[in-house]
Amino acid sequence: MSSQSSIRWFDDFVGVAYRYYDLRMNVVPLFTDRKKASALWHDIIHWWLDSSIKIRFVEIDDEYWFILGSDSQRPESNLSFFKILPKSENYERFKNGHGGEAYLRLGVYVTKFRKNVKKDELCNCGHAAEDHDKDDNDLCLYEECMCKKFSTFQVTILKRKKTITDIVFLEEKDVKNDPLAWNCLNINKYSKFN
Ligand SMILES: [Zn+2]
Ligand SMILES: [Zn+2]
C-alpha cells in the first residue's frame, strides 16, 4: 500500500504569512481562531518530525498552491495542509530570501477597527486611524480615498515552532515528479473536474 493514498488534505485556514522573526524566515499558516490553531498544533504538527517536513509551492499564473506535509509519529491522525493563494510581495520575498531553511509557526489573524487602535495606526487603505472620521462611521477623510470604514489586521505569531529544510518551488508541469505536490493537485484539482 502506498502511504500517499492515505494523505488527508486540510485547507480550512485563511492564508499564510511570511515574516522575518527569530533570525529566520517564518512560514505562518493563519487562523482566525486561536483555539483552533493551538489544537491543530497540539494534535497534528507537534507529532511531525522536523527532518521530514516538506513545503511545496506550485505556481499557476497569478496564484500559487501552498502545500505542507510531513511524516508523523501519529500517522493515523495526520493531516497535510494546502491553500490556493494569490502571489504577493511577501511570498516573492520569501521565495527569494529563505535560503533553504525556515521556521514553521501558526498565526492568529485578527481584524481591528478604529476604536481598538492608536491614532497613528494605519488602516488597510494606507491612512492613519486619526484620518478617519469617528463621527461618520469611521470614513477615511482623504478625498481621493474610497475607504468607508477603518479596519486593519493584526497577526499574532504563536511561539511553538518547527524547522523546515525541505522547501521546493515548482511549476505545474513538474508536479508529477514530486509525490507530495502530485498527491495534492491530483486529489484537490485534477480529480475534481471530471
Ligand atoms: Zn484612506
Ligand atoms: Zn481607511
Side-chain angles (χ1 to χ4, degrees):
M1 189 193 111
S2 153
S3 64
Q4 295 299 321
S5 60
S6 60
I7 292 179
R8 290 187 300 142
W9 289 100
F10 176 85
D11 71 347
D12 191 14
F13 55 106
V14 293
V16 180
Y18 303 96
R19 294 283 176 90
Y20 198 74
Y21 183 73
D22 264 8
L23 305 175
R24 208 170 275 180
M25 292 290 252
N26 286 248
V27 175
V28 186
L30 296 173
F31 296 80
T32 51
D33 180 354
R34 188 186 189 109
K35 277 195 198 127
K36 189 171 161 187
S38 298
L40 268 166
W41 189 280
H42 183 264
D43 297 340
I44 308 294
I45 298 174
H46 174 73
W47 304 100
W48 286 2
L49 311 160
D50 286 44
S51 60
S52 75
I53 301 174
K54 295 178 173 59
I55 298 194
R56 301 293 179 258
F57 299 92
V58 181
E59 302 193 349
I60 302 177
D61 301 322
D62 293 337
E63 295 181 324
Y64 69 94
W65 287 58
F66 169 86
I67 300 168
L68 170 68
S70 176
D71 293 340
S72 170
Q73 293 168 278
R74 287 189 170 175
E76 65 287 351
S77 59
N78 197 20
L79 289 176
S80 297
F81 297 72
F82 82 101
K83 195 85 192 169
I84 304 166
L85 296 163
K87 286 180 187 165
S88 65
E89 255 177 64
N90 286 332
Y91 164 74
E92 299 290 348
R93 198 172 303 145
F94 177 78
K95 183 181 175 182
N96 296 320
H98 66 81
E101 220 169 52
Y103 284 140
L104 171 66
R105 285 187 154 97
L106 299 183
V108 183
Y109 178 101
V110 182
T111 303
K112 294 196 296 183
F113 297 102
R114 200 195 52 79
K115 61 180 188 304
N116 312 122
V117 302
K118 295 196 181 117
K119 61 186 188 328
D120 58 350
E121 230 175 291
L122 292 184
C123 176
N124 291 330
C125 74
H127 300 125
E130 63 187 339
D131 297 326
H132 291 71
D133 187 350
K134 62 177 189 290
D135 296 326
D136 192 9
N137 205 23
D138 301 344
L139 175 93
C140 183
L141 294 169
Y142 279 79
E143 231 166 83
E144 75 282 5
C145 188
M146 307 293 281
C147 171
K148 299 270 184 274
K149 185 179 177 67
F150 179 96
S151 68
T152 185
F153 62 84
Q154 184 185 17
V155 171
T156 304
I157 298 179
L158 304 184
K159 274 222 180 86
R160 294 196 183 96
K161 62 179 187 256
K162 295 262 177 182
T163 306
I164 317 163
T165 53
D166 189 345
I167 302 168
V168 178
F169 291 80
L170 294 163
E171 289 180 50
E172 193 176 6
K173 65 178 169 54
D174 303 321
V175 158
K176 275 205 166 127
N177 303 317
D178 186 278
L180 184 69
W182 173 246
N183 185 288
C184 183
L185 268 75
N186 199 26
I187 289 177
N188 300 301
K189 184 175 189 211
Y190 305 136
S191 52
K192 290 218 162 148
F193 296 110
N194 50 28

